[in-house]
């Protein structure tokens, strides 16, 4: 378990995620096979670059994700596996959905180095196309699809989540509407999410990702 | 009855599971690991996840290969459309320049002339017609440029080695002439060498001409930029490596830098002949 006093006001990191020193700087890290040229220390911990990962940024900013380690995860918008590789390092069964073929080719390579990562070339807007593979009662639904209708996708995929599960979502304002003010976009997304989820926490990820909002929610 | 991916799949054959992962559907998720153990598909959770892993890895690799293969059809259409747009624009340009020459004094020749006319402010009904006509031709030229940009963006993902070696547009042309990346990958390199020279080849087979040394690959710098007496060797070397590139792109999709280095070495040797003879 993490050391409460050291963590201070910040939420505990999940088991399997540690702050370690790389090149003189404290960074998040997980232990597993290297994926994108990230620094790896002598004990096999690899730095988790919050600038390349919205979930990494949410943890780095101290959001209470509810992650403890070893949970089952459904990850939507896995791309070539940068973030989901870290997730699979500390989580249990990890289902990674991505609909673009090119990144999935790389994602398969990432999954080949791990025993608990299951790549799925599927469209997150059509959950029935993977409901025969992904188990029910998922502990954590991570979403980073950066596409129009992000809230709708979250609502449609709620059926996979356990009642006490968590939705961890990164919303990209520009994906919804390039002309609107990010705050207005975020308000709309949150309003739509509230039809199916109770919002526990939101935070701007701007320090790492411009015009992105991080959301932690649980099913209603 | 269950919709589970493992329903009807052979527990010892990841391929059958992969097909179910790709094509199956369910209206809602369920506790699949427990169902699989109950159904005797897996001994326990660990065994279940190991089987799920093999099936999803195989399914994702196959699905990616198939989807990317379908992209070759798009490339083939795009390059044909690009050529149509260019040919038609040239035809329209000829008319525009000829016609505009009767109305204006200073009309530049060819496609430049078309852009020039399209930008003018018509003063008479006839000028209005010719300027409008020129505008269509310019639109077509812009369309050709957009098609080229599309090919340049797509070819490197569809066929990374072929696109690197031939350049995106020639890669797309070879794919179009062969009727797809798969058929290109299956053609012997001698055929790749003369793709696009079918008329000349036909004449040769009829005994009316010598055998052609190259088809569209003539547009490649390695052939065009080699002195005439060495062009046959250059075309043969290039076609040989292009065939290998097409096979790698079709069957594995990995980018292979060494392949490109080998061709560069071979070309350097062929071109060195000219220097050697010059030294003698
Ligand atoms: C911002 S990137 C994800 C980056 C990734 N999460 C990481 O941190 O490594 C968004 C990804 O979502 C994918 N995506 C967009 N719409 C999708 C959909 N409907 N279904 C599945 N994936 C989708 C895109 O193809 C893209 O790869």
């Amino acid at each position: 378990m993490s050391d409460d006093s050291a963590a201070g006001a910040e939420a505990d990191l999940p088991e399997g995620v540690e702050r370690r020193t790389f090149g003189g700087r404290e960074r998040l890290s997980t232990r597993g096979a290297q994926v994108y040229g990230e620094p790896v220390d002598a004990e096999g911990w690899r730095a988790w670059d919050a600038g390349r990962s919205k979930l990494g940024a949410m943890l780095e900013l101290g959001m209470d994700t509810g992650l403890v380690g070893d949970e089952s995860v459904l990850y939507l918008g896995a791309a070539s596996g940068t973030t989901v590789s870290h997730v699979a390092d500390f989580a249990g069964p990890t289902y990674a959905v991505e609909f673009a073929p090119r990144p999935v080719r790389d994602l398969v390579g990432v999954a080949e180095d791990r025993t608990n990562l299951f790549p799925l070339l599927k469209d997150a807007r059509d959950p029935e196309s993977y409901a025969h593979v992904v188990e029910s009662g998922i502990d954590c639904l991570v979403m980073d699809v950066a596409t129009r209708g992000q809230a709708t996708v979250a609502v449609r995929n709620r059926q996979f989540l356990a009642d006490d599960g968590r939705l961890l979502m990164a919303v990209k304002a520009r994906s919804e509407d390039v002309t609107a003010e990010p705050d207005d976009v975020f308000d709309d997304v949150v309003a739509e999410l509230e039809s199916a989820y109770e919002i526990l926490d939101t935070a701007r990820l701007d320090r790492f990702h411009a015009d992105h909002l991080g959301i932690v929610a649980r099913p209603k | 009855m269950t919709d589970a991916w493992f329903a009807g799949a052979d527990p010892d054959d990841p391929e059958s599971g992969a097909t179910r992962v790709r094509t199956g559907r369910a209206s809602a998720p369920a506790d699949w690991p427990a169902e699989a153990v109950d159904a005797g598909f897996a001994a326990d959770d660990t065994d279940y996840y190991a089987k799920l892993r093999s099936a999803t890895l195989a399914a994702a690799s196959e699905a990616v290969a198939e989807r990317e293969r379908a992209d070759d059809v798009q490339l083939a259409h795009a390059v044909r459309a690009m050529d149509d747009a260019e040919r038609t624009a040239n035809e329209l340009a000829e008319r525009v320049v000829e016609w505009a020459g009767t109305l204006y004094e200073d009309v530049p020749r060819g496609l430049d002339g078309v852009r020039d006319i399209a930008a003018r402010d018509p003063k008479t009904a006839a000028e209005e017609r010719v300027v409008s006509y020129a505008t269509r031709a310019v639109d077509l030229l812009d369309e050709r440029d957009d098609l080229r940009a599309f090919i340049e963006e797509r070819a490197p993902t569809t066929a990374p080695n072929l696109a690197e070696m031939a350049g995106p547009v020639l890669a797309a042309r070879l794919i179009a002439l062969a009727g797809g990346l798969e058929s290109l990958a299956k053609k012997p390199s001698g055929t790749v060498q003369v793709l696009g020279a079918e008329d000349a080849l036909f004449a040769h087979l009829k005994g009316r001409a010598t055998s052609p040394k190259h088809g569209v690959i003539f547009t490649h710098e390695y052939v065009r930029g080699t002195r005439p007496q060495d062009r046959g060797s250059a075309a043969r070397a290039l076609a040989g490596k292009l065939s290998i590139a097409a096979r790698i792109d079709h069957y594995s999709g990995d980018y292979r830098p060494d392949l490109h280095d080998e061709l560069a070495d071979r070309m350097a040797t062929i071109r060195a002949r000219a220097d050697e003879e010059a030294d003698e």
Side-chain angles (χ1 to χ4, degrees):
Chain A
M1 285 290 109
S2 326
D3 182 349
D4 279 332
S5 56
E10 287 183 0
D12 291 346
L13 289 174
E15 190 86 4
V17 182
E18 289 191 4
R19 283 182 208 282
R20 297 176 77 95
T21 314
F22 295 87
R25 200 154 61 86
E26 278 253 300
R27 300 175 68 178
L28 292 177
S29 62
T30 64
R31 203 171 191 176
Q34 193 194 33
V35 171
Y36 50 100
E38 69 282 11
V40 181
D41 74 11
E43 286 163 68
W45 290 81
R46 52 194 196 98
W48 184 351
D49 187 348
R52 295 182 56 172
S53 167
K54 277 135 255 173
L55 184 62
M58 289 170 75
L59 289 169
E60 194 76 83
L61 293 169
M63 288 185 83
D64 184 2
T65 60
L67 288 167
V68 291
D70 215 29
E71 48 270 287
S72 53
V73 176
L74 170 57
Y75 193 112
L76 305 178
S80 49
T82 306
T83 299
V84 82
S85 67
H86 289 289
V87 172
D89 286 349
F90 71 81
T94 303
Y95 299 86
V97 173
E98 168 59 52
F99 79 165
R102 179 73 240 200
V104 170
R105 191 185 265 172
D106 298 332
L107 180 62
V108 166
V110 174
E112 275 167 350
D113 286 337
R114 290 170 170 78
T115 56
N116 60 331
L117 180 56
F118 313 117
L120 296 165
L121 179 65
K122 304 278 182 184
D123 187 335
R125 289 167 298 192
D126 182 19
E128 295 191 357
S129 67
Y130 48 88
H132 66 305
V133 181
V134 178
E135 64 200 72
S136 56
I138 290 283
D139 298 315
C140 180
L141 171 61
V142 184
M143 258 191 66
D144 182 17
V145 290
T147 170
R148 238 186 137 79
Q150 296 162 92
T152 314
V153 174
V155 171
R156 279 198 202 155
N157 282 275
R158 194 195 84 145
Q159 54 176 321
F160 293 99
L161 266 183
D163 291 340
D164 59 351
R166 286 285 182 281
L167 165 71
L168 306 178
M169 178 171 172
V171 182
K172 181 178 180 184
R174 271 185 295 119
S175 299
E176 295 292 336
D177 186 341
V178 275
T179 57
E181 278 301 311
D183 281 329
D184 296 339
V185 173
F186 297 149
D187 287 348
D188 289 350
V189 169
V190 166
E192 189 180 344
L193 275 183
E194 279 175 335
S195 66
Y197 293 94
E198 178 192 342
I199 310 293
L200 300 176
D201 193 11
T202 63
R204 292 286 292 248
L205 307 180
D206 292 62
R207 214 178 99 202
F208 299 101
H209 303 274
D211 296 332
H212 278 75
L213 184 73
I215 302 178
V216 180
R218 72 167 165 233
K220 262 193 181 159
Chain B
M1 256 313 278
T2 169
D3 295 323
W5 68 272
F6 49 81
D10 175 353
D12 301 315
D13 176 16
E15 282 307 315
S16 74
T19 308
R20 289 275 307 134
V21 166
R22 291 182 57 191
T23 57
R25 293 181 75 81
S27 55
D31 188 354
W32 304 130
E35 277 198 22
V37 174
D38 282 349
F41 177 81
D44 53 25
D45 273 8
T46 311
D47 182 36
Y48 171 75
Y49 287 122
K51 290 188 157 101
L52 174 65
R53 177 174 183 269
S54 313
T56 53
L57 280 174
S61 313
E62 285 163 18
V64 165
E66 206 166 277
R67 289 267 293 278
E68 289 190 342
R69 256 178 254 150
D71 280 356
D72 65 348
V73 178
Q74 305 309 311
L75 271 185
H77 281 297
V79 77
R80 288 192 199 110
M82 185 184 96
D83 289 345
D84 289 348
E86 163 127 16
R87 194 182 53 248
T88 312
N90 274 312
E91 240 169 71
L92 299 188
E94 236 172 85
R95 170 73 55 222
V96 168
V97 172
E98 193 187 334
W99 187 357
T102 65
L103 295 168
Y104 300 105
E105 300 264 289
D106 48 340
V107 182
R109 304 202 56 79
L111 297 177
D112 285 345
V114 178
R115 291 199 189 272
D116 184 89
I117 298 299
R120 292 191 191 198
D121 204 5
K123 306 232 161 39
T124 66
E127 287 181 13
E128 194 159 314
R129 296 284 35 97
V130 78
V131 169
S132 165
Y133 201 64
T135 313
R136 311 291 154 193
V138 168
D139 284 348
L140 212 47
L141 286 174
D142 291 343
E143 187 58 42
R144 175 204 62 183
D145 293 341
D146 290 350
L147 285 161
R148 177 185 291 276
F150 172 81
I151 292 165
E152 285 171 350
E153 189 208 312
R154 280 295 181 89
T157 37
T158 307
N161 292 290
L162 199 62
E164 168 71 25
M165 195 175 280
V169 172
L170 178 55
R173 280 216 169 89
L174 289 166
I175 289 171
L177 285 164
L181 181 57
E182 174 161 18
S183 18
L184 183 62
K186 291 184 172 158
K187 292 205 186 307
S189 79
T191 306
V192 174
Q193 193 180 331
V194 295
L195 272 179
E198 282 72 16
D199 291 348
L201 191 63
F202 191 66
H204 166 63
L205 294 176
K206 288 265 173 190
R208 283 191 268 110
T210 56
S211 110
K213 290 187 186 53
H214 37 66
V216 279
I217 66 167
F218 180 72
T219 57
H220 196 288
E221 211 284 317
Y222 275 163
V223 182
R224 207 170 21 115
T226 299
R227 63 176 185 162
Q229 59 266 52
D230 289 330
R231 271 188 201 149
S233 319
R236 214 171 316 114
L238 176 61
K241 291 296 184 204
L242 285 171
S243 298
I244 297 172
R247 276 169 220 160
I248 297 171
D249 288 340
H250 175 66
Y251 293 105
S252 96
D254 293 344
Y255 180 70
R256 298 272 180 79
D258 43 321
L259 186 67
H260 306 277
D261 296 342
E262 284 163 25
L263 177 61
D265 287 351
R266 179 78 193 112
M267 288 310 306
T269 312
I270 291 172
R271 288 186 173 180
R273 288 179 201 163
D275 301 336
E276 281 159 22
E277 281 168 31
D279 287 347
E280 272 163 18

